[in-house]
Every structure is written in structure tokens, then in C-alpha cells.
Amino acid sequence: MWRSLLRAAVTTSRYHRSPNLTDATASTVGLIPAGVTGANQSSGFCRYYSAKPSKSSLAKVKKKTKGESKSDDLGGGSSTELDADVEGEQLRLRMLAEDEKDKSLDVGPNGRSLFTSTPSLSQLTRKDACSYMKFSMEDLNAVLPEGLPSGMLKEFEDSKRCALLIRQSFLDLRDNFRRIVDPPTWSSDGKGYNVNVTDVLAFSAPKLRKQIVLDGPRSCGKSIALAMLAHWARDEGWLVFYAPKGRDWTHGGFFYKNPQTGLWDTPDFLQFNESRLRQLPCQICDPIPLGEGAGVGFLKGADSMAMPEGSSLFDLVQTGATHTHAAVGVVVRLRKELSLVKDVPVLLAIDQYNSWFTFSEYEEAVTPRSCRPIHARELATVNAFRSMKHNDMMVGAFSHSTAVGKLRKDLPDVPTDARVDFPRYTLDEAAAVCHYYLRQRLIRREVFTEEKWKKIYYLSNGNGSEMRWLAPLIW
């Protein structure tokens, strides 16, 4: 009898938490999953709704933490440290403004100029590698209105200058697509003989690829290289479809299943460049299928929309922007129209491309108690743009900061030779980066030595973000 009573008491204690442990604290420290109510706990069954704590739980913990920190501050030490940091940043900005008058500071490794004098990305050569190119935020926002990579913005913020390192890996990527559109022809060898430059490049240059997937370690510069490639292509007059946040195509917003296609539509997505579309006519005359609007349902009495005769691609884009029922149909139609454009080169540049090969954030209700995760390939917009098995120029960059996980080597709808490993900083590039951080006062000049910056390089294994974080720690 005593054994049965003790067993019951132990069993009951397992399913009841300590009275001193609140829901917010327990869910934050991981003892109780977020979203589990007292009824779930008392029944002995915990259902994991989300791996993240709820906003209300976080708010309670933050309020408690702030209250405890104020009592332990003893006079506002944290505010004093904040004021000191602000004063230090302001002092650094004033000193950088003074340094602009002294051009002798713009010296890189081996006495080379730290900044290139080449005015555009199109004119860069191998001699400009391992040097920095200056930009302006106004020009970048004008050329890349879709947005800039977070790594690029972080580099600008920490270095207090809008400048990017010219890497040989970017030049190789640019020249690959440049030779596809404008292949080298005949020239003279200086002795009166005509030499086919294409045959010469066949032995020295790598194989030309119309479809490329940039893969590599985290923070090796894939997103920045893709943005610079889109910048260069638009400077050349190309029509560029640039999506800097491919993950947003599979996360967030309204979604529903289109009964006509069997795919899932996300009608509140419509982000692409509208420039250089006014002079390109629509070549597909079929009506655009209409779907369910974002939160407004289907359009009564109509299931398609015809484009007026003589419409341009810009008119097509505007139709999707103004008519929510046609938004997804316009995006899918735009992909087909881009394949038919012959007047100007077309480049598709997709960042966070690996998000299109895993499950999305959306779920389909199967039973009242279960849901089926929806794969990215089942989304109409992703299904239209994901494939690389075509003759169009397309670049996709993997982003390992999106927590997608490691994908298999052979991906569906991707050529087997399209995957290219994007390298981290080489030793020469790391030397230029550290001298640039010295110029921007991230590193103290009196403690800067070759031995110390090489320690940073080998410690970070050429990771750009880690090198930037370690640079101020040189002492």
C-alpha cells in the first residue's frame, strides 16, 4: 500500500512544476516548451507548438530583467558605458573626417593604393583585385531598389565608409557572363596573323556557365558578390530580376491553394525591378489567370484577365501590382516573358536560393488535429523561378544564415555542374581587408603589425564577419 502511495506521489510530482517557477521563466530557460498550458502539463502530455517563446513571455522576462538590472546598476553604470560608446563613435567619425584630407593614409599592403581609381564595375581588371571601390548609398539604392544584403550594410556600418573589396572571385563571376553575351572574336597577334581569342581562352579560362549556384561557408561573401553582379549587369543595360531575399517567398503572408493549378499562391508577394520594362512588349497573348486576392477571396464572375493589345512588360508588372487577384499570375507570366526577351540580355539573380529546396513556413490542414508542411516547390512563384534547366542566365546564392541546413549535392531542377564553391578570403585579400580596417580606425595604428593581422586571418579562417569582429580586439 505504501509503495502504491509513493508511486502515485512521484508520478504526480513529475507532471507539476515548482510553484516558484513562472510560465515565462520556465519556457525561456527551456524547462517547459512555449505554448504549453497548465491543462497540457497536468495531463502529462506536452505538445510543442513552437520552439520559440511567445512574445508575451519574452515581454514579462524582459521587464523582470530590466528591473533587476536597475537595482544592480548602483548609479547607472550601463548608461555611463553607453555614453562613453557614443562619445567614442563621435570621436572616431571626427578623426575619419580629418583623415580624408591626408591621402598618404590610403596605402594598402606592399605600398599599393588601398582604393582603386577605376570608375565603374565594368572597367575593373585583375590589377584592381585586393583593392577597395568606393560607392554611395544613393547610387546603390537607385541601382538595387530591391534592397542590399545585410552583410554589405553591416560592413558599411562598422567601417563607416561605403566601400567594397574587389575580389578575384567576383571578377571571374562577372567575366563568365560577360563572355556569354559578348564572346571574344578575332584579333591580331602583332605579327600579321589573326588569332581566335576564343580558342586561346578555352585553355586558360574556366568553362562558361549560364546557370550558377554559389555555395560556400557562411560569411564568405556570396550575397555581396551577387549584389555586385546585379549592379554590374544593370550598368551594362541588362534586364535583371534580382531577389535579395528568396526566403521571403516561402515565409510570411497570406496563402491559399489555387484550384486551377493545384499550387499554393502567395498573392501579397510582388517585388521586382520595374526599370527597362517599358520598351519590351508582351509576347504571350493568353489571358492571365486570376486567383484569390490577399484576404478578399475570389473575384466574382471572372477567372482570367486579358492584357490590352500592345502592352509592355511594365504594363504587365503594373497589372500585378494594382490587381491583387492577378498578382501571382503576373509573376508566373513574367517568368515566361523573360525567357522570350531577345533585345537585351536577361539575368535572374536569386539570393537565399537554398530556401527554395526545403519546406516553407506554410501548412495545410489535413485533419482537425494535424497539418502537412507545404514544400517550397508547391508554391506557384517559387515553382516558376526555381528551375535552372533552361537556356537563360541565372545565378542563385546559398545563404547559410537562414538555417535551411545542408542540402544534397544533386538538387532537382539544377544542372549537375552548376554548383560553385565561393571561397573565403585569401591571404592577400585578408591583408587588404586589415589595412582597410586600419585606415578606417577599427584597428589602432600603434599596435598594428603583420604578425597580428595574420593571427586574425588564421584564427577566423578567412571568415569576413569574424575578421571584422576581431579587428578592434588587436592590442
Side-chain angles (χ1 to χ4, degrees):
M1 179 177 179
W2 282 108
R3 289 183 179 180
S4 61
L5 290 176
L6 289 174
R7 189 181 298 111
V10 171
T11 305
T12 305
S13 64
R14 289 179 180 175
Y15 300 124
H16 288 78
R17 65 181 186 272
S18 172
N20 296 326
L21 188 62
T22 62
D23 287 338
T25 308
S27 61
T28 303
V29 300
L31 295 180
I32 298 177
V36 177
T37 62
N40 295 126
Q41 298 167 33
S42 61
S43 62
F45 175 74
C46 294
R47 183 171 182 179
Y48 291 79
Y49 292 100
S50 174
K52 298 180 180 179
S54 62
K55 293 183 178 180
S56 59
S57 301
L58 284 176
K60 293 178 182 178
V61 175
K62 287 182 178 179
K63 288 181 180 178
K64 184 177 180 181
T65 305
K66 289 180 179 178
E68 293 174 354
S69 62
K70 287 181 180 179
S71 62
D72 297 335
D73 200 13
L74 297 179
S78 60
S79 60
T80 305
E81 294 176 359
L82 180 61
D83 294 340
D85 293 339
V86 172
E87 291 179 0
E89 288 295 321
Q90 294 176 350
L91 177 61
R92 181 187 169 200
L93 291 174
R94 290 196 297 268
M95 298 180 72
L96 287 175
E98 292 293 329
D99 292 343
E100 287 295 323
K101 304 175 183 178
D102 189 0
K103 298 301 180 182
S104 64
L105 298 176
D106 300 340
V107 179
N110 300 323
R112 290 185 52 189
S113 176
L114 191 58
F115 300 97
T116 179
S117 58
T118 306
S120 66
L121 292 171
S122 301
Q123 301 177 17
L124 292 173
T125 63
R126 293 180 177 270
K127 296 180 180 179
D128 298 305
C130 297
S131 61
Y132 275 80
M133 187 172 189
K134 299 178 182 178
F135 296 88
S136 67
M137 286 301 298
E138 292 77 11
D139 293 341
L140 289 175
N141 291 328
V143 179
L144 301 174
E146 300 88 348
L148 302 178
S150 58
M152 181 185 295
L153 295 176
K154 182 63 175 175
E155 173 72 16
F156 293 165
E157 178 185 358
D158 291 347
S159 64
K160 307 301 180 185
R161 181 190 290 270
C162 295
L164 295 173
L165 178 69
I166 304 303
R167 304 183 62 187
Q168 186 59 50
S169 50
F170 162 72
L171 297 178
D172 294 338
L173 182 66
R174 180 205 63 179
D175 294 341
N176 172 81
F177 291 100
R178 170 183 279 174
R179 290 198 298 269
I180 291 175
V181 175
D182 188 16
T185 54
W186 295 91
S187 65
S188 174
D189 64 350
K191 298 181 180 180
Y193 301 99
N194 288 329
V195 179
N196 192 337
V197 181
T198 306
D199 295 337
V200 176
L201 290 175
F203 295 97
S204 58
K207 175 185 175 182
L208 298 182
R209 294 184 174 93
K210 281 193 172 183
Q211 299 84 28
I212 293 179
V213 176
L214 297 179
D215 196 2
R218 184 174 181 175
S219 299
C220 66
K222 301 181 292 295
S223 297
I224 293 180
L226 185 67
M228 293 176 67
L229 181 69
H231 191 306
W232 163 78
R234 285 176 174 169
D235 288 345
E236 291 290 296
W238 293 18
L239 179 60
V240 180
F241 185 98
Y242 176 50
K245 296 182 179 180
R247 184 177 181 272
D248 289 352
W249 293 40
T250 61
H251 289 69
F254 173 77
F255 68 100
Y256 73 97
K257 191 170 186 177
N258 193 318
Q260 300 180 8
T261 63
L263 299 175
W264 295 83
D265 292 351
T266 52
D268 50 356
F269 160 76
L270 192 64
Q271 295 180 359
F272 39 72
N273 186 24
E274 297 180 357
S275 62
R276 299 179 179 88
L277 294 175
R278 294 182 180 272
Q279 299 179 355
L280 298 175
C282 294
Q283 303 185 46
I284 301 178
C285 301
D286 298 337
I288 298 174
L290 299 180
E292 185 175 350
V296 295
F298 288 95
L299 189 65
K300 295 182 179 180
D303 58 358
S304 63
M305 174 184 293
M307 291 296 298
E309 185 177 356
S311 299
S312 64
L313 292 185
F314 179 80
D315 298 328
L316 178 66
V317 172
Q318 287 295 95
T319 301
T322 55
H323 298 83
T324 179
H325 297 87
V328 175
V330 165
V331 175
V332 176
R333 174 65 58 82
L334 178 65
R335 177 65 188 92
K336 298 177 182 178
E337 290 280 1
L338 291 178
S339 297
L340 301 177
V341 174
K342 304 299 180 184
D343 297 338
V344 294
V346 178
L347 175 66
L348 307 178
I350 312 297
D351 202 358
Q352 301 176 356
Y353 184 60
N354 50 338
S355 299
W356 293 2
F357 294 91
T358 184
F359 289 96
S360 69
E361 188 183 44
Y362 312 125
E363 293 181 341
E364 177 186 13
V366 180
T367 67
R369 294 180 177 272
S370 63
C371 295
R372 178 187 71 87
I374 299 174
H375 199 275
R377 65 173 177 269
E378 301 180 65
L379 304 179
T381 50
V382 174
N383 184 69
F385 280 85
R386 191 183 77 162
S387 176
M388 282 191 173
K389 291 188 176 180
H390 46 67
N391 199 38
D392 302 329
M393 292 183 292
M394 181 174 178
V395 186
F398 281 5
S399 177
H400 297 294
S401 60
T402 56
V404 170
K406 189 174 182 180
L407 301 175
R408 64 183 186 181
K409 186 176 181 180
D410 297 330
L411 295 175
D413 301 326
V414 176
T416 55
D417 61 342
R419 209 156 171 174
V420 177
D421 287 330
F422 202 80
R424 294 183 177 182
Y425 285 151
T426 63
L427 188 63
D428 292 336
E429 290 174 342
V433 169
C434 290
H435 281 77
Y436 174 69
Y437 290 158
L438 176 66
R439 168 65 179 79
Q440 296 304 116
R441 293 187 175 272
L442 272 176
I443 304 176
R444 296 174 56 194
R445 189 169 296 275
E446 58 269 20
V447 299
F448 180 79
T449 62
E450 181 179 359
E451 179 184 2
K452 290 182 179 180
W453 74 253
K454 284 186 176 181
K455 286 182 180 180
I456 289 181
Y457 170 71
Y458 290 116
L459 182 62
S460 63
N461 196 19
N463 184 295
S465 297
E466 293 182 6
M467 287 188 61
R468 184 173 60 246
W469 181 81
L470 289 171
L473 302 181
I474 293 182
W475 196 259

